[in-house]
Amino acid sequence: MLILPLILLIPVNLLVLVVSILNLRSDTETLRLSVENHMSRAAEQFFETIKKIDEQIYLNVVTDNNYINLGENDKGYTDSSYYLAAIELLDTLNNIVSIEPVLESIFVRFENTGEIFQRGQLEESLKKILVSSDINEEYPKIIIDNEKNPSYIGLIRKNQYGLIGYQADISEFLDNIYEDIIPPDNVAVVRSSELIPENKDGFTVLSAEIPELGIICRSYYPAESFFGKLSLSTIIVFILSIISIIATPIIVSYYYRQIYIPVNALNTGINTVKQGRLDYRIRLDNYSGENEFVDTIRYFNEMVDQINSMKISMYELQLNQKELRLDYYSQQIRPHFILNVLNTIYTYRPEQWELAQKLIMNLVEYFRYIVNIKKDFVPLAQEMVFVRNYLEIQKQRLEGTFTCLVSWEHILDDELVPPLIVSSFVENCIKHGLTSSGTDCIAVTVVQEKEQMSIKICDSGTGFSPQTIEALQEYQADKKISEVLGKGIVNTIDRLDLYYGSRYSLEFRNEGGAAVQLILPKKTGKDV
């Protein structure tokens, strides 16, 4: 049914909405990664600062003779050399604190005497370790404190003389993370071993790791901040997809009234007239506006009127002619073909949107051609463009199955041929000429031969069976119907007989695959 393709617009629009949502998520993820990269760069800078502090301590403390002397001397302040070494060590610690802005304090605890040398104010967690007599824990040790403001990180290292460590202010590190970025609701620095929640209602969790220190900076970034930084085009596409979802039912309702109901009435009228009820007419006052379908209904009514007005002597002949035309018009609108094409479009992935666009345009051109055929003859160029368009649709729908070639001498562009005559044979190639090899080819060529047109349609398939060729020849000779013949090929032969009589030739043969040779007299508008 024709309404089904229209209803399929709804899932197509839903697909567009899903794609828009995926684009939103993709842009959000890209922005999240950008912020995390910014955090990571700040973390790297902080780590470089920590390394610089470590180097300063190693060069100015660990290798300093005063530090070594104090570590090896257990006499305490009763010894003058010990006292002088302690003063110089404190001066060294003070110099390091003064040149490194992030340093809050630095300390040394000697195991031999229990003495503690420090510069700067130590936090309680560090003090507890230093005053403890038990220093058998595993070192180096990292202590993090987020309860105070500013936050700090303490690093303690152990060597043969005791403990050496410092307390660094990480507020500058955190400030660098959020430079030019909307600050999050919450931020913390934690050990890598601590559990970091993956989500929090209304927030996106971001993190930057300093693996060398075994710490992670965790940040809860407000979701609305991300949305506000998305590109305008992404937001517009999302809004348009919502509008499209709302508009689709309206469009479907419109086309239901303007297309489906007239076509359904036309098919009913065709079937009724075929049953012999020549008094049947389709009421035009049931339809508003003007379109191809209303014109077709009007033509249908006029056609039936003409049949009724014919003389009895011409009635049977004219009736056969009109019935043949009715079959032809009823074949123009094939919902199953359109449904198959729309189903192919529906299966395309987001990255195949260009292919979907191309297939939709091919389908539009296909549909525009068949619903606008109002005469018994059309220019050859229009028929050949339609054939090429039809093959393009089938190539996309049956991807990788065959290749095709459509060519004609453009001197014949304005010569007239019955509509859908060439395409009928091409459709037969698609139905019966394709194999599973994936290398099949369909070729359609038209050349001028004196006052005639030579139209050749061939494929590289298995060809006609002997029974099919015999049945075709018998039907051409005496209209003998065979079960192996399809209705389409029989209808095409009847139309050729009707329009040309004995002034054409049609040959079926095998040339590697099936080949059809059709020779028609040249016909211009003056001859119609």
Side-chain angles (χ1 to χ4, degrees):
M1 296 174 65
L2 186 59
I3 192 62
L4 291 179
L6 300 177
I7 294 176
L8 284 177
L9 287 174
I10 296 176
V12 168
N13 282 315
L14 287 174
L15 179 61
V16 173
L17 177 60
V18 171
V19 171
S20 299
I21 293 174
L22 291 177
N23 285 336
L24 280 174
R25 294 183 62 182
S26 176
D27 287 359
T28 301
E29 178 65 13
T30 300
L31 184 59
R32 186 190 67 80
L33 291 175
S34 175
V35 176
E36 280 200 338
N37 289 337
H38 186 87
M39 292 174 63
S40 297
R41 288 192 296 270
E44 291 173 2
Q45 294 173 3
F46 181 72
F47 177 63
E48 291 299 322
T49 301
I50 294 298
K51 285 202 304 183
K52 183 179 178 182
I53 293 173
D54 280 349
E55 291 173 359
Q56 290 288 336
I57 293 175
Y58 180 79
L59 293 174
N60 296 289
V61 178
V62 177
T63 60
D64 185 72
N65 288 331
N66 293 314
Y67 174 78
I68 296 173
N69 291 334
L70 292 172
E72 294 178 349
N73 190 340
D74 57 359
K75 296 180 180 180
Y77 289 103
T78 58
D79 185 278
S80 59
S81 61
Y82 184 96
Y83 181 76
L84 291 175
I87 292 176
E88 292 184 5
L89 178 59
L90 287 172
D91 288 340
T92 300
L93 297 180
N94 191 61
N95 290 335
I96 295 175
V97 171
S98 64
I99 64 175
E100 295 296 344
V102 300
L103 273 181
E104 289 288 312
S105 61
I106 187 171
F107 58 85
V108 174
R109 179 190 178 206
F110 290 101
E111 186 175 359
N112 56 350
T113 61
E115 294 286 353
I116 297 175
F117 298 85
Q118 71 176 70
R119 278 293 181 263
Q121 185 65 35
L122 293 179
E123 297 293 339
E124 293 299 324
S125 53
L126 291 177
K127 290 180 179 179
K128 291 179 181 179
I129 294 176
L130 296 181
V131 299
S132 173
S133 59
D134 183 10
I135 58 172
N136 295 321
E137 297 183 54
E138 183 178 349
Y139 291 91
K141 186 176 184 64
I142 299 173
I143 299 173
I144 301 170
D145 188 352
N146 293 107
E147 301 299 328
K148 308 287 184 181
N149 188 18
S151 301
Y152 75 87
I153 177 172
L155 290 91
I156 306 174
R157 303 183 185 278
K158 181 180 180 182
N159 61 15
Q160 59 180 331
Y161 300 120
L163 300 179
I164 301 176
Y166 53 89
Q167 177 181 299
D169 180 6
I170 62 173
S171 59
E172 182 179 354
F173 162 52
L174 299 180
D175 289 342
N176 288 337
I177 289 180
Y178 305 114
E179 180 183 357
D180 299 327
I181 300 176
I182 300 175
D185 180 71
N186 191 21
V187 64
V189 176
V190 298
R191 297 177 182 86
S192 299
S193 58
E194 294 182 6
L195 180 64
I196 299 178
E198 295 183 357
N199 55 62
K200 182 179 179 181
D201 291 342
F203 294 89
T204 298
V205 177
L206 306 176
S207 63
E209 186 174 6
I210 306 179
E212 295 85 353
L213 301 180
I215 61 173
I216 295 177
C217 177
R218 175 185 59 197
S219 171
Y220 293 114
Y221 202 91
E224 60 271 14
S225 297
F226 274 110
F227 190 80
K229 289 180 176 292
L230 294 176
S231 65
L232 180 61
S233 60
T234 299
I235 298 174
I236 290 175
V237 169
F238 178 74
I239 294 174
L240 289 179
S241 63
I242 295 294
I243 295 174
S244 178
I245 289 294
I246 298 173
T248 295
I250 300 174
I251 296 174
V252 169
S253 175
Y254 173 80
Y255 278 97
Y256 178 83
R257 298 191 305 271
Q258 297 295 322
I259 298 178
Y260 173 74
I261 294 178
V263 170
N264 189 54
L266 179 61
N267 285 333
T268 301
I270 290 173
N271 292 328
T272 303
V273 171
K274 286 176 68 175
Q275 294 171 5
R277 289 186 53 189
L278 300 181
D279 59 337
Y280 183 84
R281 300 294 185 275
I282 301 175
R283 296 185 58 181
L284 285 172
D285 56 1
N286 292 334
Y287 311 104
S288 60
E290 292 291 332
N291 57 48
E292 292 87 349
F293 298 101
V294 174
D295 290 342
T296 303
I297 291 175
R298 185 179 294 109
Y299 179 76
F300 169 83
N301 289 338
E302 293 173 357
M303 180 182 65
V304 179
D305 288 339
Q306 291 175 11
I307 293 175
N308 280 329
S309 66
M310 288 179 183
K311 295 180 180 180
I312 299 300
S313 59
M314 298 295 296
Y315 179 77
E316 290 295 333
L317 177 62
Q318 195 67 15
L319 179 60
N320 290 336
Q321 178 180 351
K322 295 302 180 181
E323 286 182 346
L324 188 58
R325 287 178 178 174
L326 288 174
D327 284 339
Y328 155 65
Y329 283 121
S330 66
Q331 289 179 17
Q332 290 185 52
I333 303 173
R334 291 176 293 173
H336 292 297
F337 172 74
I338 299 172
L339 283 175
N340 288 336
V341 176
L342 289 175
N343 188 57
T344 300
I345 296 172
Y346 180 73
T347 61
Y348 280 144
R349 299 183 298 275
E351 58 269 25
Q352 295 176 299
W353 176 237
E354 291 184 0
L355 291 176
Q357 284 183 309
K358 180 181 178 182
L359 188 51
I360 290 171
M361 292 306 301
N362 287 336
L363 183 60
V364 169
E365 293 299 323
Y366 173 91
F367 203 70
R368 180 179 289 122
Y369 180 82
I370 61 176
V371 299
N372 281 289
I373 297 175
K374 300 178 181 178
K375 297 183 180 181
D376 292 335
F377 292 89
V378 296
L380 174 69
Q382 291 185 16
E383 176 73 3
M384 296 303 290
V385 169
F386 173 74
V387 168
R388 183 165 57 194
N389 185 60
Y390 170 78
L391 286 172
E392 285 298 321
I393 292 174
Q394 294 290 23
K395 279 178 64 180
Q396 291 192 65
R397 195 172 71 85
L398 307 172
E399 184 179 1
T401 304
F402 70 96
T403 58
C404 63
L405 171 66
V406 178
S407 65
W408 69 94
E409 294 182 353
H410 292 288
I411 194 174
L412 301 172
D413 280 355
D414 296 327
E415 299 298 329
L416 300 180
V417 296
L420 303 180
I421 282 291
V422 180
S423 64
S424 298
F425 295 113
V426 173
E427 290 177 13
N428 203 56
C429 293
I430 296 292
K431 291 179 180 178
H432 305 291
L434 299 181
T435 66
S436 59
S437 64
T439 59
D440 295 320
C441 178
I442 297 175
V444 183
T445 56
V446 183
V447 297
Q448 178 176 258
E449 292 184 0
K450 297 182 179 179
E451 296 303 315
Q452 296 177 315
M453 291 181 287
S454 176
I455 303 172
K456 186 175 183 181
I457 303 99
C458 58
D459 60 56
S460 59
T462 57
F464 296 112
S465 67
Q467 295 83 355
T468 301
I469 292 181
E470 181 180 357
L472 288 167
Q473 292 172 346
E474 289 180 351
Y475 187 78
Q476 287 179 279
D478 55 19
K479 302 301 180 182
K480 181 181 178 181
I481 296 291
S482 172
E483 293 181 355
V484 301
L485 297 182
K487 184 178 180 180
I489 199 71
V490 169
N491 181 279
T492 301
I493 294 173
D494 288 344
R495 289 175 62 211
L496 288 170
D497 288 340
L498 177 66
Y499 294 132
Y500 295 101
S502 61
R503 294 180 297 112
Y504 82 100
S505 67
L506 177 62
E507 182 182 359
F508 301 88
R509 60 178 181 268
N510 290 322
E511 292 181 358
V516 178
Q517 183 80 43
L518 174 62
I519 297 179
L520 301 176
K522 294 172 64 177
K523 183 186 290 289
T524 63
K526 297 179 180 180
D527 302 320
V528 178

